[in-house]
Amino acid sequence: MPVVQVSLIQGYSSALKQQLCERLTEAVSASIAADPDAITIFLHEVTADGYMRGGRSRQPGSARAVPEEPLQTAPESLVRDFLAAMEARELERASSLLADDFVMRFPGSPPMTRLTELVEWARGRYRHVGKRIHALDCCDKGDYTVVVCHGELHGEWPDGTPFDGVRFIDRFELRDGKLARQEVWNDLALASP
């Protein structure tokens, strides 16, 4: 049964401490294959005047913003919301989830920065496409979060013929609560008539 103990200077929010405990649990579980229910995390807090480094009192470092929704699902929810808006062609709603420097790349496409570019590029490839999501995997990389989404595409070719069961993988990078990058891989070229 792994036990992790962390000392923090007082001043961090309950939400941030909860996020830290969840991420430490995930890191231990991934590193030593321990069941998360068997992992114990203790956070010990010390007062700022009870801590010194280099002979000087220190203040806690600034915390990143913590989303108000459940912590483990915030990045996945953002990706699901974006994909649902795109499938419904609600481009304004989908655009509101993008960072100012957002870039996306699809098989055979140049890098695109606006959703209208994607819609125009895809116009001759299919009439409609939807995604059946099998799984979303999330990984924090420090200053950004990666969400990998995979499943199957379904829809209609330009002539109206339906297609289904086409594999896809989308890799998203999220920074500051917005989608910054989308890389897409799929088997549409292999499935086309």
Side-chain angles (χ1 to χ4, degrees):
M1 179 169 103
V3 176
V4 176
Q5 297 189 45
V6 177
S7 295
L8 293 173
I9 300 174
Q10 283 182 341
Y12 293 107
S13 70
S14 294
L16 183 119
K17 290 185 279 189
Q18 177 70 29
Q19 182 183 57
L20 180 59
C21 288
E22 290 174 0
R23 289 184 173 175
L24 287 169
T25 300
E26 291 170 0
V28 171
S29 181
S31 299
I32 61 174
D35 183 330
D37 287 336
I39 299 168
T40 303
I41 308 293
F42 289 109
L43 296 182
H44 304 282
E45 291 186 296
V46 297
T47 61
D49 61 357
Y51 167 75
M52 288 186 124
R53 188 176 73 240
R56 293 184 314 205
S57 293
R58 304 292 175 141
Q59 296 299 313
S62 60
R64 290 193 181 153
V66 177
E68 292 180 17
E69 64 183 275
L71 298 171
Q72 291 185 2
T73 62
E76 293 94 333
S77 293
L78 182 65
V79 167
R80 283 185 189 276
D81 290 348
F82 173 75
L83 294 174
M86 288 301 296
E87 186 171 342
R89 286 299 183 247
E90 296 174 358
L91 300 186
E92 188 173 323
R93 180 169 67 111
S95 292
S96 73
L97 304 173
L98 305 179
D100 292 339
D101 59 349
F102 175 74
V103 65
M104 63 189 142
R105 185 162 216 161
F106 285 73
S109 81
M112 295 178 273
T113 59
R114 293 184 319 276
L115 299 180
T116 53
E117 290 177 284
L118 171 61
V119 170
E120 186 58 36
W121 175 81
R123 190 175 313 277
R125 289 169 168 72
Y126 46 78
R127 276 190 189 177
H128 171 76
V129 69
K131 294 184 176 186
R132 250 183 244 104
I133 297 172
H134 293 181
L136 290 140
D137 299 307
C138 184
C139 178
D140 184 47
K141 304 296 277 181
D143 63 339
Y144 66 99
T145 301
V146 173
V147 176
V148 177
C149 171
H150 68 89
E152 296 178 357
L153 301 173
H154 59 92
E156 290 183 2
W157 297 115
D159 68 358
T161 304
F163 63 86
D164 199 357
V166 178
R167 299 179 309 164
F168 79 89
I169 296 174
D170 288 358
R171 181 187 181 276
F172 293 91
E173 289 181 15
L174 289 71
R175 294 180 194 275
D176 301 319
K178 297 280 190 173
L179 298 171
R181 184 172 192 83
Q182 179 185 14
E183 296 280 343
V184 176
W185 296 270
N186 62 51
D187 291 338
L188 269 178
L190 299 174
S192 65

